[in-house]
Amino acid sequence: MEDFSKYNGEGTLLRQMQLRLLDIVVEIDKVCRKHDIKYWIDFGSLLGAVRHQGFIPWDDDLDIAMPAEDFERFKEIAPKELPENLFLQTPESDPDFLMPILKVRDNNSMFITRHEDFTKDYNKGLYIDIFIVTDYPDVNPKLRKFLLKWISKVNWFFGVKHNITLKNHLATIAFPIIKWSCLAVWKVLCLKPKTKLGYDVNRYCPYGCVYSKDWVYPLSEVTFEGHKFLAPNQPDKYLEAIYPNFMQIPPEEKRVTHIIHVEMH
């Protein structure tokens, strides 16, 4: 097997970051298990758990998913029970942060990616992403993907800072019209029975990812960096919906990180 220690060997900056992220998700897990709040390891973090029993060696983030109703409980409970060094970043707790992804941040660090806006004074610590999951109707996949792609694209556009260009100026005019048109169609489609799971269209929704409920529930557990965390009931099927051939190691040119600058205290 290939030696991946060149990416996150002991003592490397990336490994230190990964261990700090691990500390955060351990605390999230404690709160969720104590209060019977559903969550699961998601995206590349679930892939890492299945393929590497921990972080993907070159990965510098950690993702979890949480049903919308469980997140509402987590939002009330977490600020009271998470350690003081952790901060639940929502539109209410940090209004300057406009990206449409909820996060738990580490107050004792700074993690800079290419999307940061230094004209805004929001918490920029290392983070766990929380993706909100809702029920979806079983509709034509091409139509669903088209609608959610544009809704997600507009959400992201207005969540990050852009250069002043004619193209971006026109987008600020056209994108809200596109978004609300797509949302209107989506709301009509949602009148159908909701038999699938997907991501909240009001935030950042990875639009290609839709799951059968029995792939997710009842939740199981996976081993991640020596800890047990909650996971989808059928992680292989779940991962196949996101990453076809997910057990295949990507070529070196695709092993990328988000890091521009990081500080940890």
Side-chain angles (χ1 to χ4, degrees):
M1 176 178 274
E2 183 179 350
D3 180 10
F4 297 117
S5 61
K6 62 183 178 181
Y7 297 104
N8 67 337
E10 291 302 319
T12 61
L13 178 61
L14 179 55
R15 187 57 180 164
Q16 293 175 49
M17 289 176 56
Q18 290 177 344
L19 293 176
R20 184 71 65 91
L21 294 174
L22 180 64
D23 290 341
I24 300 173
V25 78
V26 165
E27 296 298 335
I28 293 172
D29 177 74
K30 287 179 184 176
V31 172
C32 290
R33 289 183 189 264
K34 178 180 177 181
H35 295 278
D36 195 25
I37 294 172
K38 297 183 185 70
Y39 84 91
W40 57 88
I41 299 290
D42 206 0
F43 293 113
S45 304
L46 180 62
L47 173 58
V50 171
R51 196 172 68 193
H52 303 276
Q53 290 71 59
F55 285 96
I56 296 173
W58 49 90
D59 204 1
D60 57 5
D61 65 2
L62 205 160
D63 302 318
I64 66 173
M66 197 175 287
E69 59 274 18
D70 289 86
F71 179 74
E72 289 306 310
R73 294 178 55 224
F74 183 76
K75 186 168 65 173
E76 294 298 319
I77 294 168
K80 304 169 188 174
E81 298 208 9
L82 287 174
E84 290 184 358
N85 65 300
L86 298 183
F87 172 66
L88 177 59
Q89 190 172 51
T90 68
E92 296 80 19
S93 67
D94 201 350
D96 276 346
F97 185 71
L98 300 178
M99 287 186 192
I101 302 180
L102 303 159
K103 299 176 184 287
V104 175
R105 295 269 193 177
D106 170 39
N107 293 326
N108 299 326
S109 62
M110 178 178 284
F111 181 46
I112 305 303
T113 70
R114 63 187 179 90
H115 297 299
E116 306 299 345
D117 182 353
F118 284 95
T119 67
K120 303 292 186 180
D121 186 26
Y122 58 83
N123 189 310
K124 297 180 177 70
L126 282 164
Y127 58 83
I128 304 291
D129 281 329
I130 304 177
F131 292 88
I132 306 303
V133 174
T134 62
D135 290 342
Y136 271 31
D138 189 3
V139 298
N140 182 284
K142 289 184 178 180
L143 176 59
R144 181 191 66 226
K145 189 171 183 179
F146 174 83
L147 295 172
L148 299 188
K149 176 180 179 179
W150 277 104
I151 295 169
S152 183
K153 186 173 183 177
V154 175
N155 287 342
W156 190 258
F157 179 85
F158 286 104
V160 299
K161 186 179 180 181
H162 298 279
N163 294 325
I164 300 175
T165 65
L166 177 60
K167 180 180 178 181
N168 287 337
H169 179 68
L170 293 173
T172 62
I173 299 170
F175 273 12
I177 299 170
I178 293 171
K179 175 182 175 179
W180 296 119
S181 299
C182 291
L183 275 174
V185 176
W186 180 248
K187 287 180 179 178
V188 172
L189 293 174
C190 284
L191 296 174
K192 297 184 65 176
K194 296 177 181 177
T195 60
K196 303 285 187 180
L197 292 174
Y199 298 93
D200 184 359
V201 299
N202 296 308
R203 307 182 195 275
Y204 175 64
C205 60
Y207 48 84
C209 305
V210 177
Y211 315 107
S212 295
K213 291 186 178 182
D214 61 356
W215 297 355
V216 178
Y217 301 121
L219 294 173
S220 64
E221 288 187 331
V222 288
T223 299
F224 185 92
E225 299 289 344
H227 296 263
K228 292 287 188 180
F229 296 110
L230 297 180
N233 182 52
Q234 299 184 54
D236 288 0
K237 287 186 176 180
Y238 190 98
L239 285 169
E240 284 173 0
I242 314 172
Y243 313 107
N245 303 315
F246 64 89
M247 291 301 290
Q248 183 175 333
I249 303 294
E252 286 200 37
E253 63 269 17
K254 293 189 176 181
R255 303 173 191 176
V256 297
T257 63
H258 305 88
I259 303 171
I260 291 179
H261 176 76
V262 63
E263 297 176 11
M264 291 179 286
H265 309 292

